[in-house]
Amino acid sequence: MPQQQLPPDSLPLASSLASERVKVDEHRVARYTRRRDGRHLAEMDLVERVFPELPNGAPVLDAPCGAGRMSVWMARQGWRVSALDLGGPAVAHTRKSIRDLGFEADVREGNLFELPWADGEFRAVLCFRVLHHFAEHSVRRRLVAELARVSGEHLLVSYLSPWSATGIKRRIKALLSGKRHRQNHTSLHQLRVDLREHGFELIRDQPQRRFFHSLHLARFLRVG
Ligand SMILES: C[S@@+](CC[C@H](N)C(=O)[O-])C[C@H]1O[C@@H](n2cnc3c(N)ncnc32)[C@H](O)[C@@H]1O
């Protein structure tokens, strides 16, 4: 995704910018879902470790769902899954994968910044591997605000930490080249401040692999 300056109030622009990341063709969706590599397994493991225990039938949201790997896992847990993504083929693939397993799910094509669900509708909301695509803090802040709106209890957000070997390497490279890296790092402190505004407190912060990997999954709980 190219680095562009987003006016803080520009939702359509945010979505069109993000749509460059949409898995537009079927081939790309299929390739993504067949991934069995170490990185994919490590990411699944990260989500499984951090997700709260919830009873059967608990309403959960996976946004963005991409090709649905997390949504499928959630459906297998017996939870009532809703999912959303901008990409039509990705949405169709997620819907079919869940249906093929014999589960029902509410999978929609839509924009993360305007989620089509009511306040507090979900017991847990997962936002995995998208926050770092938004270069501007004002846009990331709007995104977490919208996710917080629909979560009545838990909110899990992945972010790229600046305090990792990769994060430090990228910052040095950016300093030397004068260009921002396309993966944007967010400090946990900033995420906590942004979510505190919406009544959420940090419960757990889990790196994929301490210090080496910049990918973290943070779990927040609604306290206010
Ligand atoms: C790297 S994928 C991650 C998908 C999924 N969470 C996973 O881990 O497999 C990022 C996804 O974000 C979606 N996306 C980006 N901006 C979006 C927006 N504004 N609204 C909805 N989906 C968006 C893209 O279509 C893409 O499928």
Side-chain angles (χ1 to χ4, degrees):
M1 183 182 295
Q3 302 302 319
Q4 295 180 19
Q5 296 292 317
L6 283 182
D9 286 329
S10 176
L11 285 182
L13 186 53
S15 77
S16 70
L17 184 66
S19 68
E20 290 167 30
R21 293 282 311 164
V22 171
K23 300 178 175 65
V24 272
D25 61 81
E26 296 287 352
H27 172 68
R28 215 168 146 199
V29 169
R31 202 181 54 197
Y32 195 78
T33 48
R34 279 200 303 270
R35 277 174 59 192
R36 285 291 173 270
D37 54 89
R39 184 175 134 190
H40 164 71
L41 295 176
E43 289 176 2
M44 293 302 304
D45 181 61
L46 179 62
V47 170
E48 288 178 31
R49 276 189 289 159
V50 179
F51 223 92
E53 281 190 23
L54 294 172
N56 239 6
V60 293
L61 174 67
D62 180 20
C65 61
R69 58 184 179 153
M70 300 303 174
S71 308
V72 164
W73 173 77
M74 288 161 139
R76 286 186 195 274
Q77 307 312 301
W79 301 327
R80 184 153 54 81
V81 177
S82 295
L84 172 139
D85 202 282
L86 269 182
V91 166
H93 194 281
T94 301
R95 205 176 272 142
K96 181 174 181 322
S97 308
I98 295 179
R99 197 177 296 140
D100 287 352
L101 287 172
F103 300 112
E104 292 285 318
D106 173 15
V107 187
R108 303 192 197 182
E109 196 172 327
N111 187 353
L112 279 173
F113 293 82
E114 295 164 333
L115 294 171
W117 288 285
D119 296 1
E121 178 133 354
F122 300 101
R123 288 201 57 185
V125 171
L126 172 67
C127 181
F128 198 66
R129 291 207 64 101
V130 81
L131 192 73
H132 58 273
H133 291 304
F134 299 104
E136 300 306 316
H137 170 241
S138 58
V139 177
R140 294 198 293 269
R141 189 160 163 251
R142 290 184 77 150
L143 173 56
V144 297
E146 182 61 354
L147 296 164
R149 181 186 68 74
V150 296
S151 172
E153 206 172 340
H154 305 276
L155 176 52
L156 292 89
V157 185
S158 80
Y159 70 98
L160 296 185
S161 165
W163 305 114
S164 61
T166 327
I168 293 166
K169 206 168 71 193
R170 281 180 188 147
R171 273 187 293 156
I172 294 172
K173 234 172 146 178
L175 269 177
L176 295 178
S177 68
K179 288 186 205 146
R180 272 167 92 164
H181 196 276
R182 66 188 174 85
Q183 311 264 40
N184 302 284
H185 294 76
T186 312
S187 75
L188 181 62
H189 172 74
Q190 190 61 66
L191 205 50
R192 289 178 81 163
V193 169
D194 293 345
L195 277 164
R196 197 168 288 140
E197 270 184 49
H198 303 281
F200 282 81
E201 284 297 339
L202 181 73
I203 295 297
R204 182 167 173 188
D205 175 47
Q206 181 70 48
Q208 187 179 323
R209 195 165 150 226
R210 203 163 293 286
F211 188 66
F212 288 98
H213 280 109
S214 47
L215 183 70
H216 282 230
L217 184 58
R219 168 145 66 96
F220 293 83
L221 181 68
R222 185 179 280 287
V223 293

